[in-house]
Amino acid sequence: MLRDDELTTANILIEDSSIQKISKLPPSNRPDTKIDASRLIAIPGLIDVHVHLRDMELAHKETFETGTQAAAAGGFTTVLDMPNTKPPTINRDRLAEKISKAKGRIYSNVGFQAALVEDPAELRAMSKEGAIAFKLYLNKALETFDAADDNSLRKALDAARDARAMVTVHAEDGVAIHAIQEKSRAEGRGSVRDFLEAHKPEFEVSAVRRILELSKNHALRVHICHISTPEGVRLVRKNGIATCEATAHHLLANDRIFLKQGTRAICVPPIRREAYRRKLWSMFAKGWVDILASDHAPHTLEEKTKTNAWEAAPGLPGLETTLPVMHTQVARNAISLRRLVDATATLPAKIFGLHRKGRLAVGFDADIVLLDPKAKIKIEPSNFFSMAKYSPFAGMRCVGRAAYTIVNGSIVAEGGRIIGPAAGSIVRRTD
Ligand code: NCD
Ligand code: ZN
């Protein structure tokens, strides 16, 4: 197992869905199930703070079953679902409804992010219901209030501070992007280049700057989602309190992907040029980007494959590729296993306040991945559990994958197959 920075040999005893004992010597009593993991590395189950599980009226894109099976197969034992569903998670009743629909159907643990709203009473009610964080879409993707207006946004941030809630942000300037998009459309343009031209890196930087500025006097914790620009990361670090996440596709792919995959590779913020990718990677490796998240955003192939880029649904699945593609970088010594585990387990648990998760220690939940660091696999979207059968990493040869994924003490996935029950629980904010 990975203990601090070292690999050590240990026996991990699981009882009643939590870790009971970690010891050099085998436990004295005979366990019901025993896994010989001598060629594997035990790491904490991965936590993905940015996942779109869809379901409900978007069940043609993904369901609680398929999304969490994809999570378990990919080594994620806990995922946080996003509120831009149909219907959107914008009040306590919607959140309660989502929780009750997910129960009994999930193969990984699931927590919910709700939408940031202006009404403090509603925020508190959603918090009480268990919402882990509140998402703010500065790109106009979910308009619960006029976030383009500083005064409205201040009001919502005040409400979040009063509810002691964390705000997660899609930081792209939606007004500026929309203006370019409308002009391009009116002129009959709609290439991938036109799309990239509208979703400029500068519009991410200005949105990051704006939200950090507005949240300054709010003693509020702001987390920037799927950051894609080195300047954005620098602003987050300068702020001192804020945190950020990056995706594997922003860290490992560049805009050459569009030559191969066209509109299928579109997501927001978009995959950037190589110079951005390289700097973002080095910042991630140093730990300046706190968290690795997938932004698993499934759509149907039909919704992705369009001649006009403005018609294509932005979003890429990532639950089944993130661990293999990132572990390949560990195998190449581009980052340490410790940094990967920090970015996918330790820090997500710490930053999002998920108690008893993110570490292999006595008393913690038995959410464990037995990593096979030598496994050679090829990314094959047609084999995904996710309903989204496409990937920017399609065809890539990787080293390393989850040999076993254990959720609340149950073996849910083995060797990329789902073998266990829907053992996931709902994760709620507890403080
Ligand atoms: C996400 C989606 O499809 O819900 N798409 C994306 O490209 N990232 C929305 C989002 O996370 O902004
Ligand atoms: Zn987003």
Side-chain angles (χ1 to χ4, degrees):
M1 68 179 280
L2 182 69
R3 224 177 199 183
D4 303 324
D5 282 331
E6 313 251 298
L7 290 179
T8 57
T9 305
N11 293 280
I12 302 173
L13 180 68
I14 298 168
E15 237 173 57
D16 301 330
S17 77
S18 62
I19 299 174
Q20 290 294 321
K21 203 172 171 189
I22 299 175
S23 60
K24 283 271 165 222
L25 296 171
S28 45
N29 48 342
R30 270 179 72 89
D32 302 335
T33 315
K34 199 174 148 189
I35 304 172
D36 174 6
S38 48
R39 286 169 204 283
L40 308 175
I41 304 171
I43 57 173
L46 275 52
I47 299 170
D48 193 340
V49 300
H50 194 144
V51 170
H52 300 270
L53 290 175
R54 317 279 195 215
D55 207 282
M56 301 181 294
E57 286 168 52
L58 298 176
H60 63 286
K61 296 177 195 268
E62 195 81 288
T63 66
F64 287 125
E65 283 91 353
T66 56
T68 55
Q69 286 181 350
F76 288 95
T77 51
T78 299
V79 302
L80 299 188
D81 177 59
M82 284 298 181
N84 64 333
T85 40
K86 223 173 164 181
T89 319
I90 54 172
N91 59 42
R92 194 202 65 95
D93 290 350
R94 291 267 176 79
L95 176 58
E97 184 192 356
K98 228 184 194 185
I99 290 174
S100 82
K101 288 207 158 111
K103 268 186 188 161
R105 296 168 59 199
I106 47 179
Y107 290 78
S108 68
N109 299 310
V110 177
F112 293 96
Q113 296 206 29
L116 181 66
V117 295
E118 267 178 313
D119 176 10
E122 195 61 71
L123 275 185
R124 273 195 297 273
M126 291 195 278
S127 246
K128 225 170 147 204
E129 197 66 41
I132 300 220
F134 294 89
K135 179 81 182 268
L136 165 65
Y137 288 92
L138 291 178
N139 61 332
K140 292 173 118 13
L142 192 61
E143 294 186 88
T144 45
F145 62 94
D146 183 11
D149 176 66
D150 280 357
N151 284 327
S152 302
L153 184 49
R154 265 195 212 104
K155 212 171 135 196
L157 295 177
D158 274 338
R161 180 203 52 205
D162 293 348
R164 290 188 300 112
M166 176 177 181
V167 175
T168 59
V169 188
H170 182 123
E172 277 192 300
D173 181 343
V175 175
I177 292 168
H178 199 69
I180 299 182
Q181 174 174 344
E182 286 315 295
K183 186 163 179 283
S184 162
R185 273 201 153 141
E187 289 167 3
R189 289 182 286 119
S191 69
V192 172
R193 278 290 145 208
D194 292 320
F195 182 92
L196 298 177
E197 196 43 50
H199 286 262
K200 287 185 204 306
E202 291 80 2
F203 293 159
E204 174 177 293
V205 175
S206 58
V208 170
R209 187 175 290 121
R210 175 166 174 250
I211 188 65
L212 293 180
E213 197 59 45
L214 286 176
S215 65
K216 231 180 206 164
N217 304 317
H218 288 252
L220 178 74
R221 279 214 297 125
V222 168
H223 174 80
I224 309 294
C225 300
H226 43 49
I227 206 155
S228 65
T229 58
E231 186 54 23
V233 178
R234 255 190 294 277
L235 291 172
V236 170
R237 294 287 58 113
K238 222 174 87 187
N239 171 277
I241 312 168
T243 52
C244 63
E245 75 194 28
T247 70
H249 50 271
H250 289 113
L251 290 167
L252 296 174
N254 63 33
D255 62 350
R256 281 200 304 269
I257 190 74
F258 297 108
L259 300 174
K260 259 195 275 176
Q261 300 197 350
T263 58
R264 263 184 304 148
I266 283 181
C267 61
V268 287
I271 293 174
R272 308 274 185 206
R273 291 170 195 274
E274 175 60 14
Y276 283 84
R277 186 207 68 79
R278 194 180 313 125
K279 282 194 198 129
L280 189 68
W281 174 267
S282 89
M283 291 173 140
F284 174 79
K286 287 183 203 141
W288 295 5
V289 173
D290 307 273
I291 291 177
L292 176 69
S294 73
D295 186 13
H296 179 83
H299 297 285
T300 65
L301 263 177
E302 203 266 316
E303 293 164 329
K304 295 291 300 174
T305 318
K306 302 282 180 185
T307 40
N308 186 333
W310 299 121
E311 307 297 323
L316 308 168
L319 285 168
E320 288 162 272
T321 50
T322 296
L323 178 58
V325 299
M326 291 298 289
H327 187 273
T328 304
Q329 301 305 315
V330 174
R332 287 184 189 149
N333 288 320
I335 50 165
S336 66
L337 181 58
R338 183 74 255 166
R339 171 82 265 264
L340 181 57
V341 170
D342 281 347
T344 51
T346 327
L347 290 171
K350 200 169 145 199
I351 291 168
F352 283 81
L354 310 176
H355 305 298
R356 296 202 312 277
K357 296 204 182 292
R359 279 179 59 202
L360 294 184
V362 172
F364 275 63
D365 294 338
D367 292 340
I368 303 173
V369 162
L370 300 178
L371 173 78
D372 181 346
K374 298 249 159 72
K376 289 199 162 54
I377 62 150
K378 191 174 154 196
I379 304 290
E380 193 53 80
S382 62
N383 294 336
F384 285 171
F385 286 95
S386 170
M387 288 161 69
K389 315 278 185 209
Y390 58 92
S391 167
F393 300 115
M396 195 166 154
R397 288 178 194 283
C398 296
V399 185
R401 72 150 158 197
Y404 293 86
T405 304
I406 300 168
V407 178
N408 298 317
S410 297
I411 304 172
V412 172
E414 181 183 348
R417 289 173 306 130
I418 297 296
I419 61 156
S425 341
I426 304 293
V427 180
R428 286 185 169 82
R429 175 177 161 161
T430 46
D431 55 9

